[in-house]
Amino acid sequence: MSRKISITAVDRERLLKLINKEREFGSAKNKDYLKDLEHELNGADVVPSEKIPGDAITMNSRILLKDLETGEETVYTLVYPEDADLLEDKISILAPVGTAILGYLEGDIIDWKVPGGVVRFKVEKLLYQPEAAGDYHL
């Protein structure tokens, strides 16, 4: 069961451009992720950056996620593909977990499909959100 997410108008515009660019120039392995991301964007509530809830995961947000099965907590920053760096826990919006967390709120449970089934994460804390910090240029 999916639910409606909130996304800023700026993020939506940038992500739609990214999808179009990846479809034209990207690798075939991203095709399913692009469909998933486009589906999320098309069903999202689009709001001005100033009106996005302060606990919603937007691009360049830093999030503390808890794996509900193992209890392991991990901090990620959701970034555009060119800024992705696993050593710095910066995950691309085109990675499955990146697409999965976009638009969710602090306290939400996220079911992330993986080859072996479904992993359940809880958004424990939104550590940084550009819009809440007034960083509208990111």
Side-chain angles (χ1 to χ4, degrees), residues 5-134:
I5 62 168
S6 294
I7 186 169
T8 67
V10 171
D11 282 352
R12 184 176 189 276
E13 182 181 328
R14 287 179 183 165
L15 291 170
L16 288 174
K17 284 181 184 175
L18 172 66
I19 289 168
N20 289 332
K21 180 179 148 194
E22 285 292 320
R23 280 200 174 122
E24 191 168 344
F25 302 109
S27 69
K29 70 177 182 160
N30 284 339
K31 298 296 185 214
D32 287 339
Y33 305 135
L34 293 175
K35 277 190 234 173
D36 291 345
L37 179 57
E38 188 172 41
H39 177 76
E40 290 286 330
L41 296 176
N42 288 336
D45 279 328
V46 181
V47 297
S49 295
E50 301 80 19
K51 302 279 187 198
I52 193 82
D55 61 348
I57 299 171
T58 62
M59 293 305 299
N60 297 299
S61 289
R62 195 168 42 253
I63 313 103
L64 174 63
L65 292 179
K66 181 177 186 175
D67 183 317
L68 293 178
E69 185 176 321
T70 67
E72 182 180 341
E73 293 184 340
T74 309
V75 174
Y76 290 116
T77 301
L78 182 61
V79 298
Y80 291 95
E82 62 271 15
D83 298 321
D85 185 339
L86 289 179
L87 295 176
E88 293 183 20
D89 295 319
K90 293 181 177 181
I91 55 169
S92 170
I93 184 64
L94 295 183
V97 71
T99 301
I101 65 176
L102 179 69
Y104 278 83
L105 305 174
E106 198 172 281
D108 280 349
I109 305 294
I110 300 167
D111 292 325
W112 175 35
K113 291 180 192 165
V114 295
V118 175
V119 177
R120 299 190 87 212
F121 286 102
K122 180 177 181 187
V123 181
E124 282 289 308
K125 184 131 183 81
L126 189 57
L127 303 170
Y128 170 77
Q129 183 208 64
E131 294 78 11

